[in-house]
């Protein structure tokens, strides 16, 4: 009999989790299907694979990356640690709770390099279109080999969509913005705070991007930062130089008008207005249609597309948990594809989703939302052999993280947390985050040499 075939779109943390899940089964002697992962970039890591480019890449594909220079983890690393590959195992030393992007990228790669899964990935290959044949129950993928400028098709029994959902900007229009004389971009194209030094900046939005880009620009020398909110302000106690204002109504040249009647002049605008779930390679009936929230509708157990469970989506929820959630999803999805998990009827799946959707509708912010996602992970982790980790303790850490940010948005990254995987307490970083202008892995992992005292230097000169 022919082996079943699994196609994975995307080699970011979610797609890599799927590859790792199959490798784990293989190591236990289980027979696994033939797997091919398609990645439109030249390397793995998804968002964590930093791109200095904006707009399009060297083959004319839209740039996927939304991360920027000086990006540091925005939550404690202890909340995302792989439970089968600890930070201690990777770095062989104790590191702080909030590493910069290159350090987390290194960690992601460390686990996957242990297995020879790179061979499963076809880089520089974009999934262009998907169709499903109801009689053969197979997917046909139209793929573009970008390097060789060639289109070809392949058939799969299961399709895993791991293409991420923080890449296609949601870019609202505000009257008069077309005449704004300064720079107007979306957070997706923000590549670092340097260029905003000495500027008066307006950021529209009041979630993670607005918070972090605002703080980054403040840290790197912006003259002032205003965050404009539509529904709720972020509401932490901001330092002098950052403030929150209600929503912009319109612009007159470089002047923004706010809906409380106030006006202010700005040098640049950054839309921190979130992202669209965008799947240009999927026909409407297979496409997940959702806003960014903790329980997108039509995904049973958060991953199986209810109309067609052979179509699996990973990492499509808004995220408190990241790497460890993608893992629990990927392990469960693997066991379904291996025939070890049988799904209930479509109606039963609908009823299960409805229960979660109802709870999601009634959710408050903060702690409630953390508990919701923790319960979701508890619900699915029991379906596979993904190594258990103390989810309740991670939930407590998330809640402390929320309080740390409220207490001081500039210093929360100096706090340390204890790993639920190894029990190790994180080290304090050698430099306080507000004084740390270098986000390189080398600088992060090595204690900087102490500056010679001034009198020694003077002696040398004499
Ligand atoms: P992605 O990382 O987006 O990877 C998707 C992959 O699919 C990409 O490699 C892409 O090239 C590929 N792809 C897309 N379409 C196609 C196609 N048609 N054909 C082939 N390949 C395709 N999480 C944290 O835990 N901590 C943080 O501090 C943090 N900070 C963040 C900051 C920013 C600015 C953003 C945008 C996100 C941040 N996140 C953070 C969340 C982050 O999205 C996740 O950590 C993680 O990257 C999601 O993994 P993913 O694999 O689902 O998606
Ligand atoms: P989010 O978390 O989806 O937040 C989007 C924000 O944009 C949110 O505050 C929205 O306000 C706001 N928004 C959306 N549309 C508008 C309009 N039209 N006008 C004003 N404000 C608007 O996206 P982020 O980019 O912050 O975070 C995504 C990921 O990137 C996250 O995982 C981080 O780790 C990094 P609302 O509250 O809906 O009124």
């Amino acid at each position: 009999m022919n082996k079943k075939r699994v196609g994975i779109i995307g080699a970011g943390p979610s797609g890599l989790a799927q590859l790792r899940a199959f490798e784990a089964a293989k190591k236990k002697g289980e027979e696994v299907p033939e797997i091919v992962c398609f990645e439109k970039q030249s390397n793995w890591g998804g968002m964590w694979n930093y791109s200095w480019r904006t707009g399009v890449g060297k083959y004319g594909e839209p740039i996927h990356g939304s991360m920027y220079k000086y990006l540091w983890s925005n939550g404690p690393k202890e909340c995302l640690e792989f439970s089968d590959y600890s930070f201690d195992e990777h770095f062989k030393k104790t590191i702080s709770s909030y590493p910069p992007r290159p350090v987390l990228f290194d960690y992601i790669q460390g686990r996957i390099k242990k297995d020879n899964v790179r061979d499963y990935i076809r880089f520089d290959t974009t999934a262009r279109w998907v169709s499903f044949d109801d009689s053969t129950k197979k997917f046909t993928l139209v793929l573009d080999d970008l390097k060789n400028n060639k289109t070809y098709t392949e058939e799969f029994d299961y399709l895993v969509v791991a293409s991420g959902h923080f890449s296609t900007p949601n870019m609202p229009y505000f009257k008069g913005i077309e005449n704004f004389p300064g720079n107007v971009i979306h957070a997706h194209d923000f590549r670092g705070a340097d260029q905003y030094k000495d500027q008066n900046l307006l950021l529209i939005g009041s979630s993670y991007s607005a918070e972090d880009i605002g703080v980054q620009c403040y840290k790197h020398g912006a003259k002032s930062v205003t965050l404009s909110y539509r529904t709720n302000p972020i509401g932490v106690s901001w330092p002098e130089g950052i403030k929150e204002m209600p929503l912009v109504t319109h612009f007159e040249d470089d002047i923004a008008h706010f809906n409380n009647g106030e006006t202010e002049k700005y040098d640049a605008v950054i839309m921190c207005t979130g992202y669209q779930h965008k799947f240009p390679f999927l026909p409407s009936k297979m496409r997940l249609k959702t806003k960014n929230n903790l329980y997108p509708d039509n995904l049973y157990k958060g991953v199986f597309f209810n109309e067609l469970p052979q179509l699996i989506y990973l990492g499509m929820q808004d995220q408190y948990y990241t790497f460890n959630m993608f893992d629990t999803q990927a392990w469960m999805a693997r066991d379904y594809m291996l025939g070890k998990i049988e799904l209930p009827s479509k109606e039963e799946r609908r009823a299960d989703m409805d229960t979660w959707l109802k709870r999601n509708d009634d959710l408050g912010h903060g702690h409630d939302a953390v508990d919701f996602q923790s319960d979701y992970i508890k619900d699915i982790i029991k379906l596979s052999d993904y190594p258990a980790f103390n989810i309740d303790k991670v939930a407590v850490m998330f809640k402390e993280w929320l309080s740390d940010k409220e207490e001081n948005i500039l210093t929360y990254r100096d706090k340390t947390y204890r790993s639920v995987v190894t029990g190790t307490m994180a080290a304090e970083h050698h430099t306080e985050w507000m004084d740390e202008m270098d986000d390189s892995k080398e600088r992060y992992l090595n204690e900087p040499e102490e500056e010679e005292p001034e009198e020694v230097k003077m002696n040398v000169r004499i």
Side-chain angles (χ1 to χ4, degrees):
M1 226 179 86
N2 282 344
K3 257 193 171 187
K4 294 267 186 207
R5 299 193 84 221
V6 174
I8 303 171
I9 301 179
S14 295
L16 293 175
Q18 194 63 74
L19 290 172
R20 168 78 173 184
F22 277 117
E23 274 308 289
K26 207 163 134 188
K27 279 190 187 139
K28 287 188 171 173
E30 292 183 46
E31 199 177 326
V32 299
E34 191 183 331
I35 300 155
V36 191
C37 175
F38 303 99
E39 172 52 60
K40 71 178 191 179
Q41 302 187 61
S42 306
N43 199 6
W44 55 24
M47 279 294 154
W48 299 92
N49 168 27
Y50 176 72
S51 170
W52 59 269
R53 294 173 191 265
T54 55
V56 292
K58 63 176 172 176
Y59 300 113
E61 294 294 297
I63 286 294
H64 185 80
S66 303
M67 288 199 176
Y68 35 89
K69 256 197 300 182
Y70 314 131
L71 184 140
W72 293 65
S73 180
N74 61 8
K77 75 178 196 308
E78 289 73 19
C79 291
L80 56 75
E81 190 166 17
F82 300 125
S83 77
D84 66 345
Y85 187 69
S86 67
F87 282 97
D88 287 358
E89 180 179 350
H90 181 74
F91 289 104
K92 314 270 185 290
K93 67 185 267 190
T94 311
I95 62 168
S96 74
S97 282
Y98 292 87
R101 185 203 54 79
V103 173
L104 284 174
F105 183 40
D106 195 65
Y107 171 62
I108 297 167
Q109 296 192 81
R111 176 172 83 152
I112 207 75
K113 277 180 184 165
K114 276 182 31 172
D115 306 320
N116 288 324
V117 301
R118 212 173 167 93
D119 298 347
Y120 297 128
I121 307 173
R122 288 191 208 153
F123 291 103
D124 298 307
T125 303
T126 296
R128 210 47 99 200
W129 193 246
V130 177
S131 54
F132 183 74
D133 186 324
D134 283 316
S135 54
T136 62
K137 303 273 176 242
K138 283 187 194 292
F139 296 95
T140 301
L141 252 69
V142 178
L143 298 149
D144 248 348
D145 172 348
L146 302 173
K147 256 187 184 161
N148 298 306
N149 204 3
K150 262 191 167 166
T151 305
Y152 62 99
T153 60
E154 287 204 13
E155 280 196 345
F156 293 96
D157 299 280
Y158 297 98
L159 183 65
V160 178
V161 178
S163 53
H165 61 94
F166 293 130
S167 184
T168 305
N170 168 47
M171 189 78 163
Y173 172 71
F174 292 90
K175 192 165 168 255
I177 197 158
E178 63 274 31
N179 296 321
F180 185 84
N183 200 258
V184 179
I185 61 163
H186 186 273
H188 170 67
D189 295 321
F190 177 80
R191 286 294 176 268
D194 324 46
Q195 63 170 296
Y196 297 101
K197 193 168 182 304
D198 298 326
Q199 295 197 9
N200 292 306
L201 258 184
L202 174 62
L203 271 49
I204 303 179
S206 59
S207 185
Y208 298 106
S209 295
E211 175 191 297
D212 197 52
I213 293 176
V215 169
Q216 292 278 357
C217 290
Y218 172 87
K219 175 176 169 181
H220 289 268
K223 200 188 279 175
S224 76
V225 176
T226 303
L227 310 174
S228 164
Y229 61 88
R230 177 172 66 179
T231 313
N232 294 310
I234 295 172
V236 301
S237 63
W238 297 102
E240 211 187 314
I242 309 184
K243 68 173 178 201
E244 293 198 80
M245 291 283 276
L247 194 57
V248 170
T249 53
H250 62 285
F251 289 87
E252 266 179 312
D253 296 320
D254 57 358
I255 295 170
H257 290 249
F258 296 92
N259 71 14
N260 61 359
E262 291 185 32
T263 59
E264 207 163 318
K265 207 169 144 85
Y266 292 100
D267 298 307
V269 177
I270 306 177
M271 300 281 188
C272 301
T273 40
Y275 294 88
Q276 304 178 39
H277 281 66
K278 190 83 183 162
F279 308 99
F281 50 88
L282 286 170
S284 170
K285 67 177 187 181
M286 288 192 241
R287 205 181 295 154
L288 178 68
K289 294 169 189 162
T290 183
K291 290 208 160 113
N292 186 25
N293 74 80
L294 291 172
Y295 208 90
D297 195 6
N298 293 315
L299 293 183
Y300 176 64
K301 299 287 174 202
V303 306
F304 303 106
F305 193 61
N306 203 32
E307 288 303 313
L308 179 64
Q310 282 165 263
L311 176 60
I312 290 162
Y313 284 90
L314 298 181
M316 289 302 153
Q317 341 2 59
D318 197 9
Q319 296 152 10
Y320 284 92
Y321 293 79
T322 52
F323 305 164
N324 42 7
M325 177 170 75
F326 308 149
D327 275 7
T328 51
Q329 294 182 329
W331 258 248
M332 167 180 66
R334 175 203 68 190
D335 284 354
Y336 163 71
M337 291 185 264
L338 291 178
K340 288 160 72 178
I341 296 177
E342 223 173 273
L343 302 188
S345 71
K346 191 171 165 187
E347 293 66 38
E348 284 168 290
R349 302 196 297 259
R350 180 75 261 163
D352 185 74
M353 288 186 293
D354 285 344
T355 312
W356 286 97
L357 286 166
K358 167 88 182 63
R359 181 171 164 197
N360 191 25
D361 279 349
D362 301 339
L363 268 190
H365 271 292
H367 289 201
D368 258 11
V370 168
D371 288 338
F372 181 90
Q373 195 151 69
S374 304
D375 287 348
Y376 162 65
I377 295 176
K378 283 183 193 172
D379 186 45
I380 63 169
I381 200 169
K382 59 181 189 234
L383 299 176
S384 77
D385 63 355
Y386 185 67
F389 61 99
N390 193 328
I391 298 167
D392 289 327
K393 272 197 183 160
V394 176
V396 169
M397 288 196 271
F398 271 124
K399 291 172 189 174
E400 281 176 28
W401 160 73
L402 290 169
S403 320
D404 292 346
K405 289 206 291 182
E406 254 173 54
E407 194 184 292
N408 193 331
I409 194 73
L410 303 180
T411 60
Y412 79 92
R413 285 186 170 104
D414 298 322
K415 302 269 179 180
T416 49
Y417 285 89
R418 187 179 296 284
S419 163
V420 294
V421 178
T422 56
T424 305
M425 187 68 196
E428 280 186 16
H429 184 45
H430 49 66
T431 308
E432 284 182 4
W433 185 75
M434 273 304 282
D435 297 327
E436 182 59 283
M437 298 300 175
D438 184 342
D439 65 346
S440 68
K441 191 177 94 180
E442 293 66 35
R443 157 93 186 170
Y444 178 79
L445 293 176
N446 300 305
E447 192 85 23
E449 278 178 27
E450 267 189 36
E451 281 254 319
E452 285 178 60
E454 209 43 43
E455 59 275 21
V456 178
K457 284 188 196 163
M458 285 174 53
N459 284 344
V460 172
R461 254 178 251 137
I462 290 162

